[in-house]
Amino acid sequence: TTSDLTPEICNFIQNEIKGNCMMHLTCTNMPSEKVDIALAQAKKFGFKNILALRGDPPEGQKEWKAIEGGFECALDLVKYIRKQYGDYFGITVSGYPEGHPNVRRKIEDDAWKPDKNENPKYYAVQQLRDGSYEGVSEKDWRSELDYLKAKIEAGGQVIITQLFYDAKIFIEWVKAVRKHGISAPILPGIMPIRAYGAFNRMTGFCKTMIPPALKSKLEQLKDDANAVYEFGLSYVHSICEEILNARLDDGAYIVPGLHIYTMNTEKCTIDILAKCKVGWTQQPQLEKVITADRQRILKEEQEKEARKQERLQCLS
């Protein structure tokens, strides 16, 4: 199972290739006994970082439900880890700049006007295909912030967000988080746009808001894989640049870096980092590493294309 494979993969990252892994631990189908085993393995193998999540519903199940002897939510999991292991593990938790999908609802208040968004105000508003709007109510927005704060106060130390494609919504959310008294570092969840189909599947699964300009351009380019990739790279790079340059009212940068969802592909990740040049001034060695990786990937692509052409010639 995935939960059985996780410590094995983390062990390879941490001890075979000498990386710095963060073990994902969810509440889905995980009784406390199974969590105990995972945490014991993590300590045995030297993992120091845990991403504590509620997790998605099991395949074939629409709604998430805690199993008997399991945890109700990520907050319970964070509390349990701290109770059992004290400060041994660094704990990261999730954040939702657009609101958790469970609290995003169609706006049906007759008094609400989309051009003003007031009386009442909704957060992370988007227009749906049928012309109606959805968003997060003031009550649910505050409840989301309260829950995030509770996870940090229970022992969470870093926040990684769900993917998004609207930098302004993310920036406003970070400012709201800070005003709510949450000071933990926030890493934006960046999902590269690699292919049209994969983009639609992932954003559909996560119920991600898609800005109209992005949606229409991808629709226009969908039959040209290379064009989708290049446009996606440029679009995501622009998001990263806007976020990395954004500051709070006190002048501090709103984020210390990026969290890129690689989805087991490295080229798009390296391409984004190469364009952003994140940390290159402070760490010159980083530029050498990223540049070398990009050159290696390009060479591998050229060799792969050459082999493909050779096979085609043999078949002709």
Side-chain angles (χ1 to χ4, degrees):
T1 66
T2 302
S3 59
D4 294 327
L5 279 173
T6 297
E8 185 179 334
I9 295 171
C10 288
N11 186 39
F12 176 78
I13 294 171
Q14 187 85 20
N15 299 312
E16 295 295 325
I17 63 175
K18 306 303 179 183
N20 187 16
C21 76
M22 177 180 289
M23 188 173 82
H24 290 36
L25 194 58
T26 76
C27 304
T28 303
N29 289 337
M30 291 286 281
S32 58
E33 295 82 6
K34 209 167 184 178
V35 169
D36 287 336
I37 293 171
L39 292 172
Q41 287 181 310
K43 188 172 183 179
K44 175 184 175 182
F45 293 134
F47 314 154
K48 297 286 288 186
N49 303 303
I50 304 288
L51 176 58
L53 305 165
R54 188 201 70 174
D56 300 313
E59 188 174 353
Q61 188 173 307
K62 290 186 177 181
E63 294 185 6
W64 193 92
K65 293 181 180 179
I67 63 170
E68 186 176 350
F71 300 90
E72 293 286 340
C73 58
L75 175 59
D76 290 345
L77 183 57
V78 172
K79 289 179 178 179
Y80 186 80
I81 295 170
R82 283 287 177 243
K83 180 180 178 181
Q84 299 299 318
Y85 286 88
D87 294 332
Y88 180 81
F89 293 110
I91 301 177
T92 297
V93 299
S94 61
Y96 295 85
E98 301 170 355
H100 192 281
N102 288 351
V103 300
R104 291 194 59 79
R105 298 183 177 88
K106 184 176 285 192
I107 300 173
E108 297 178 329
D109 192 320
D110 294 334
W112 182 79
K113 303 299 180 184
D115 56 332
K116 294 184 178 180
N117 189 20
E118 59 185 19
N119 300 324
K121 180 178 180 179
Y122 285 83
Y123 295 83
V125 175
Q126 76 166 340
Q127 188 171 20
L128 304 176
R129 289 185 177 182
D130 63 3
S132 62
Y133 291 84
E134 72 168 13
V136 183
S137 70
E138 181 82 35
K139 178 182 177 182
D140 286 336
W141 188 256
R142 288 190 172 278
S143 178
E144 288 275 286
L145 291 172
D146 287 342
Y147 182 64
L148 179 59
K149 189 173 185 178
K151 288 193 289 185
I152 296 301
E153 291 177 343
Q157 295 162 291
V158 178
I159 301 164
I160 291 177
T161 77
Q162 179 65 287
L163 67 145
F164 60 90
Y165 290 99
D166 190 322
K168 288 180 174 55
I169 283 180
F170 171 79
I171 292 168
E172 289 306 310
W173 176 79
V174 173
K175 291 178 178 179
V177 168
R178 295 298 182 234
K179 288 180 181 178
H180 211 69
I182 303 169
S183 60
I186 298 172
L187 290 172
I190 303 298
M191 178 74 77
I193 300 173
R194 300 178 303 280
Y196 180 79
F199 171 81
N200 280 334
R201 284 192 296 273
M202 183 55 68
T203 55
F205 177 76
C206 297
K207 298 182 179 179
T208 309
M209 294 175 59
I210 312 299
L214 173 59
K215 185 183 296 184
S216 63
K217 188 64 176 179
L218 287 175
E219 184 67 24
Q220 177 186 333
L221 300 174
K222 66 180 180 181
D223 295 324
D224 187 336
N226 288 331
V228 168
Y229 182 89
E230 291 301 326
F231 168 74
L233 175 61
S234 177
Y235 187 92
V236 173
H237 166 245
S238 69
I239 292 175
C240 295
E241 285 290 331
E242 185 172 353
I243 291 169
L244 290 168
N245 287 305
R247 296 173 183 259
L248 297 169
D249 294 339
D250 62 4
Y253 287 105
I254 68 168
V255 299
L258 307 171
H259 176 85
I260 299 179
Y261 293 107
T262 65
M263 305 303 286
N264 297 326
T265 58
E266 60 178 343
K267 183 179 184 301
C268 46
T269 302
I270 294 298
D271 281 342
I272 289 171
L273 293 176
K275 286 176 75 67
C276 288
K277 301 182 180 180
V278 181
W280 287 14
T281 303
Q282 295 81 5
Q283 302 179 57
Q285 184 62 27
L286 190 60
E287 179 178 1
K288 295 180 181 179
V289 171
I290 292 174
T291 300
D293 270 347
R294 192 162 188 272
Q295 291 173 345
R296 172 183 58 78
I297 292 168
L298 291 174
K299 182 180 178 181
E300 289 173 354
E301 281 194 333
Q302 291 170 354
E303 292 173 347
K304 182 179 179 181
E305 181 62 26
R307 290 193 297 271
K308 177 182 176 181
Q309 293 302 323
E310 288 176 4
R311 288 195 296 271
L312 290 174
Q313 288 178 2
C314 291
L315 293 173
S316 62

